[in-house]
Amino acid sequence: MHVDASRADHDRLLEQPVVPSAGGRMTVTAPPSPGHLAELGADDVLTTVAATPDTALAAWASGPTGAALVARLADVLVAASQERTVAADVLVTFALHRRGEVVDRVRLLLEAGGVTTYDGTRSLRADVRSVGVRCTPLTFARLVTGQCSAALELLADRLTVEGDAATVLDAGRVLRCPANGTALVDPAALEPRAVATVLRGVSSAHLRSVVQGPFRDVVIGEVARRLPEHVRPEAAARLRLAVVLRVTRGAREDAPHDTDRFLVTVAEGRARVTRLTGPDAPPAARRDATLTCTGEDFVRLATGHLHPVTAVLRGRLAIRGDRATALLLSTALDIPRPS
């Protein structure tokens, strides 16, 4: 939950103590002073922020100590990313907004020698690439503490990214989450069940913009790759089928170069997904049927937000070949449902 708090809310929260919560864990409801915050070690900063509920953390970030909090989190993020290097220089700018108005910025320069904060006083090379991230201070704090995923926040329309996908992924691999050491941008976070949950309430327009944008290959590819993780062994043991999934960028009749193709095979109780597009694609293989849908509908089908039969009846899923065998594919998979 993302909450903007007024100054009165912030002053009230300052008066609240640290209190115990369920399971013996501590909940922080009063932020430390800027001086105290500067003295805290990285682990203590992360623990304090992680233990602060969203409402209190939003008030903290929007209050008089908010700038100190953001700066301290940026320092912790930089320190955690020093062991990684980037192929080409990248300037990453986090534009932190409240109610649409940018209230703070964090700029990080990724170079061969490491990661540093960038204050604008130093001239940059002409070939420095740029990545822009727009989110609330609360989301930035949760990214640093590892309590939310940049990939899922993007799908949930709580974070926007500007820059080509290759540069974003490169920068995301260099920047490491201080709390757990994982990449700040991790496609593996697009686990279908997690995607199913964050898509609840997301508009079709937003999901369409994601699957038609620069991160299409990441989203479509990762969701498809994970389909075998949800196979029903008992049902799959009785089936032997091969179905091609054609995932288009728009209308079903898109040109081949605008279409991603995956071969889904089910045999001996197991499912396998093979990408049929790209330089490493295998040669054409036997298939019982071909399913065609848009990227938006593919993500909704793979995460339980659209039933295959409903999709066929509404003309959102086209079947060519053995229709009965194609629909059996859904019985072999335990499609995730939103939690």
Side-chain angles (χ1 to χ4, degrees):
M1 178 174 64
H2 295 252
V3 181
D4 286 314
S6 66
R7 176 61 183 269
D9 292 332
H10 180 270
D11 291 343
R12 174 177 52 78
L13 288 165
L14 283 175
E15 298 172 356
Q16 296 180 347
V18 176
V19 296
S21 61
R25 298 177 62 187
M26 304 303 291
T27 299
V28 176
T29 56
S33 66
H36 184 201
L37 182 64
E39 295 174 355
L40 290 177
D43 289 343
D44 290 333
V45 171
L46 295 174
T47 299
T48 300
V49 173
T52 306
D54 279 359
T55 303
L57 184 55
W60 180 4
S62 64
T65 61
L69 168 65
V70 170
R72 190 71 181 92
L73 287 173
D75 290 341
V76 174
L77 177 58
V78 166
S81 307
Q82 289 306 315
E83 299 303 318
R84 312 284 294 191
T85 58
V86 67
D89 295 354
V90 181
L91 179 64
V92 180
T93 300
F94 291 88
L96 309 183
H97 70 87
R98 185 169 63 250
R99 298 190 182 95
E101 180 182 354
V102 175
V103 294
D104 205 348
R105 282 185 173 85
V106 173
R107 293 192 289 180
L108 306 178
L109 184 59
L110 285 55
E111 302 174 287
V115 180
T116 58
T117 55
Y118 178 68
D119 61 7
T121 59
R122 171 184 156 198
S123 296
L124 299 179
R125 291 170 39 177
D127 60 350
V128 171
R129 297 177 294 173
S130 295
V131 169
V133 181
R134 185 180 174 90
C135 62
T136 65
L138 175 60
T139 296
F140 176 72
R142 296 301 187 212
L143 287 173
V144 175
T145 57
Q147 293 172 291
C148 72
S149 155
L152 292 176
E153 292 295 290
L154 175 67
L155 275 181
D157 201 12
R158 292 190 291 262
L159 177 148
T160 59
V161 180
E162 295 180 352
D164 67 88
T167 301
V168 171
L169 292 175
D170 195 16
R173 283 188 287 265
V174 171
L175 295 176
R176 314 301 287 185
C177 174
N180 52 33
T182 60
L184 203 64
V185 178
D186 183 8
L190 293 171
E191 189 276 328
R193 202 171 305 279
V195 173
T197 299
V198 302
L199 285 184
R200 185 190 287 113
V202 169
S203 70
S204 293
H206 173 68
L207 180 56
R208 192 177 307 119
S209 71
V210 172
V211 298
Q212 291 181 357
F215 303 102
R216 168 190 171 85
D217 288 345
V218 176
V219 175
I220 298 297
E222 190 64 20
V223 172
R225 184 184 72 81
R226 287 179 172 270
L227 285 177
E229 297 177 9
H230 303 282
V231 69
R232 290 190 177 110
E234 302 83 3
R238 301 189 296 270
L239 299 175
R240 188 176 184 84
L241 55 84
V243 174
V244 171
L245 297 177
R246 294 182 67 249
V247 184
T248 70
R249 291 185 183 273
R252 289 198 302 269
E253 300 305 319
D254 279 1
H257 65 273
D258 284 334
T259 301
D260 291 297
R261 298 167 63 246
F262 303 90
L263 175 65
V264 183
T265 57
V266 178
E268 299 178 351
R270 301 177 63 185
R272 181 182 179 186
V273 173
T274 305
R275 194 177 193 115
L276 298 179
T277 47
D280 299 324
R286 180 193 70 84
R287 75 283 309 273
D288 299 301
T290 297
L291 305 179
T292 301
C293 62
T294 65
E296 175 192 351
D297 285 338
F298 170 69
V299 174
R300 293 198 183 281
L301 284 164
T303 56
H305 288 274
L306 178 63
H307 194 279
V309 174
T310 301
V312 170
L313 293 176
R314 293 181 178 177
R316 295 166 66 175
L317 179 64
I319 301 178
R320 189 173 60 202
D322 189 332
R323 180 178 292 250
T325 299
L327 290 177
L328 282 175
L329 176 62
S330 64
T331 68
L333 299 176
D334 183 14
I335 297 298
R337 295 292 187 272
S339 61

